């Protein structure tokens, strides 16, 4: 979502469009439509509810979940209407936003919606969008870092070597990307438990750093970011209106959106006493159209019935053995 929003701001910056309302509507459009696609996806919601119930969450009635989904869709449509109205108004006033941004939003949101709701295998859908996301992201990273190397003589070493203006180094850059992507495959093939844990930690840490650094690369209002992307207004610094030091505000954001939710999930899962069969039944009740959880519920119930029947047979055998010995 943040990547799409970042591209919207980059396209507008190229035409000198920095209106605050336009920026907020770009963010709201990305946020509401990306969220609505997940909320209305039976498979994605099944995964979300499975984690929620495994963490000790209370049962969510089907009617409540349905109302939340409809409200999310209504808000997304309303935001889209406001976005188009503002786009038309700015265009009529001569402060034209970049029309490429409109095409970007339409295609990205449509493809995101298809990957979540149109693809039968949700893992395949996520993989499709990841490829789409990575091609955009890695292209921008190449352009951004090559500009940094050309403009900042203090950058040296491996960074300067890789991001020089050379066609062959693009091949090296792509090779490094594939090498990193293959870590998960090699991790699954390893038989040494310590090495598997080390590689798992490396991949998880780099993934978190990816999201952390994303919070900086998409700040088009920042002077250095605009300069390295070759955008209009690159020599103008954005005025800070923060009432706390930047490091404190940054830390509070991470605590609010990552540390507290993750801690709550961990504590809830550690203390959860809800049987898995009951959790599966709740998910099936909330999402009757989710084929995966319907099958999972049947399998779980069948396993429970088989266990119960086996238990009864063992009790019967024990009772017969006791009666024979008594007689």
């Amino acid at each position: 979502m943040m990547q799409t929003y970042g591209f919207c701001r980059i396209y507008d910056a190229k035409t000198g469009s920095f209106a605050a309302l336009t920026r907020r509507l770009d963010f709201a459009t990305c946020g509401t439509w990306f969220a609505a696609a997940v909320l209305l996806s039976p498979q994605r919601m099944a995964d979300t509810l499975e984690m929620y119930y495994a963490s000790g969450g209370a049962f969510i009635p089907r009617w409540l979940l349905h109302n939340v989904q409809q409200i999310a869709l209504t808000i997304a449509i309303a935001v889209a209407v406001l976005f188009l109205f503002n786009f038309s108004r700015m265009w009529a006033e001569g402060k034209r936003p970049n029309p490429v941004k409109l095409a970007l939003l339409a295609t990205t949101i449509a493809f995101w919606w298809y990957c979540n709701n149109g693809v039968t295998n949700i893992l395949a859908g996520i993989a499709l969008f990841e490829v789409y996301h990575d091609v955009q992201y890695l292209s921008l990273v190449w352009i951004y870092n090559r500009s940094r190397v050309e403009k900042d003589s203090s950058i040296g070493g491996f960074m300067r070597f890789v991001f020089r203006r050379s066609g062959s180094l693009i091949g090296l850059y792509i090779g490094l990307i594939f090498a990193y992507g293959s870590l998960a495959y090699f991790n699954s093939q390893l038989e040494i438990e310590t090495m598997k844990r080390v590689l798992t930690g490396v991949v998880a840490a780099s993934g978190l750093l990816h999201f952390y650094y994303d919070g900086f690369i998409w700040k088009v209002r920042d002077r250095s970011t605009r300069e390295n992307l070759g955008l209009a207004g690159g020599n103008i610094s954005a005025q800070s209106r923060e009432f706390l030091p930047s490091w404190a505000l940054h830390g509070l954001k991470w605590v609010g959106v990552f540390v507290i939710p993750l801690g709550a999930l961990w504590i809830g899962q550690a203390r959860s006493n809800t049987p898995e069969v009951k959790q599966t039944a709740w998910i099936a009740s909330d999402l009757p159209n989710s084929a995966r959880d319907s099958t999972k519920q049947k399998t779980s119930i069948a396993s429970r019935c088989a266990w119960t029947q086996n238990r009864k047979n063992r009790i019967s055998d024990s009772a017969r053995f006791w009666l024979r010995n008594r007689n």
Side-chain angles (χ1 to χ4, degrees):
M1 185 204 86
M2 287 304 295
Q3 177 169 303
T4 303
Y5 169 68
F7 272 107
C8 288
R9 301 313 311 140
I10 289 171
Y11 282 128
D12 269 355
K14 285 184 175 294
T15 59
S17 176
F18 295 100
L21 179 60
T22 301
R23 183 177 70 248
R24 295 189 184 104
L25 285 173
D26 286 350
F27 184 81
T29 302
C30 292
T32 54
W33 280 97
F34 270 74
V38 173
L39 282 169
L40 293 169
S41 168
Q43 298 300 320
R44 290 298 293 269
M45 282 306 299
D47 291 336
T48 304
L49 288 174
E50 184 176 4
M51 182 183 296
Y52 169 75
Y53 288 139
S55 301
F59 174 64
I60 300 176
R62 182 182 172 187
W63 64 265
L64 179 60
L65 180 62
H66 176 75
N67 287 343
V68 169
Q69 290 173 325
Q70 296 305 307
I71 290 171
L73 181 60
T74 302
I75 291 174
I77 293 172
V79 169
V81 171
L82 290 174
F83 172 87
L84 292 173
F85 175 78
N86 181 68
F87 190 93
S88 302
R89 180 181 64 83
M90 296 290 287
W91 190 280
E93 292 177 358
K95 305 173 183 177
R96 299 182 177 182
N98 198 322
V100 179
K101 178 183 74 173
L102 194 60
L104 170 75
L105 281 172
T107 54
T108 302
I109 290 173
F111 190 58
W112 172 251
W113 201 281
Y114 169 75
C115 290
N116 281 275
N117 294 275
V119 179
T120 305
N121 187 330
I122 192 62
L123 291 178
I126 294 173
L128 281 172
F129 194 81
E130 281 300 312
V131 172
Y132 178 84
H133 164 91
D134 289 346
V135 169
Q136 288 181 326
Y137 181 83
L138 295 169
S139 299
L140 183 68
V141 168
W142 172 265
I143 295 170
Y144 180 84
N145 284 305
R146 198 179 70 181
S147 177
R148 285 184 62 213
V149 166
E150 291 178 350
K151 295 177 180 179
D152 190 349
S153 59
S154 64
I155 298 175
F158 185 73
M159 191 81 169
R160 176 166 291 278
F161 172 76
V162 173
F163 292 104
R164 290 178 299 166
R165 188 179 292 274
S166 171
S168 60
L169 290 176
I170 296 177
L172 174 61
Y173 178 64
I174 295 173
L176 290 171
I177 292 166
F178 277 101
Y180 171 78
S182 66
L183 285 178
Y185 172 76
F186 286 117
N187 190 30
S188 64
Q189 302 299 317
L190 281 175
E191 296 181 359
I192 305 173
E193 191 64 27
T194 303
M195 286 298 297
K196 290 184 71 172
R197 290 180 179 178
V198 170
L199 280 178
T200 300
V202 168
V203 173
S206 62
L208 290 174
L209 282 172
H210 162 75
F211 292 111
Y212 178 76
Y213 290 133
D214 265 6
F216 299 101
I217 195 172
W218 299 123
K219 288 186 177 179
V220 181
R221 287 177 294 171
D222 184 74
R223 178 181 58 81
S224 62
T225 302
R226 292 197 302 270
E227 285 179 347
N228 290 321
L229 289 173
L231 301 177
N235 58 345
I236 302 172
S237 298
Q239 293 182 352
S240 176
R241 299 179 181 177
E242 298 170 356
F243 60 93
L244 289 174
S246 59
W247 61 267
L249 188 62
H250 195 67
L252 287 174
K253 288 178 181 178
W254 270 86
V255 169
V257 302
F258 180 73
V259 177
I260 292 177
L262 186 64
L265 287 173
W266 177 74
I267 294 171
Q269 192 163 11
R271 296 185 176 182
S272 176
N273 296 318
T274 308
E276 186 179 350
V277 175
K278 192 173 185 179
Q279 295 175 22
T280 306
W282 283 353
I283 297 172
S285 173
D286 288 334
L287 303 167
N289 296 327
S290 176
R292 188 201 72 176
D293 284 280
S294 177
T295 303
K296 187 176 179 181
Q297 183 190 26
K298 290 176 183 177
T299 303
S300 181
I301 292 173
S303 300
R304 185 71 177 175
C305 290
W307 180 87
T308 304
Q309 186 62 43
N310 184 52
R311 185 72 174 171
K312 287 180 180 177
N313 292 339
R314 291 175 62 185
I315 292 172
S316 298
D317 291 341
S318 298
R320 283 195 294 270
F321 178 78
W322 180 80
L323 287 172
R324 280 199 304 270
N325 288 338
R326 185 183 180 189
N327 295 330

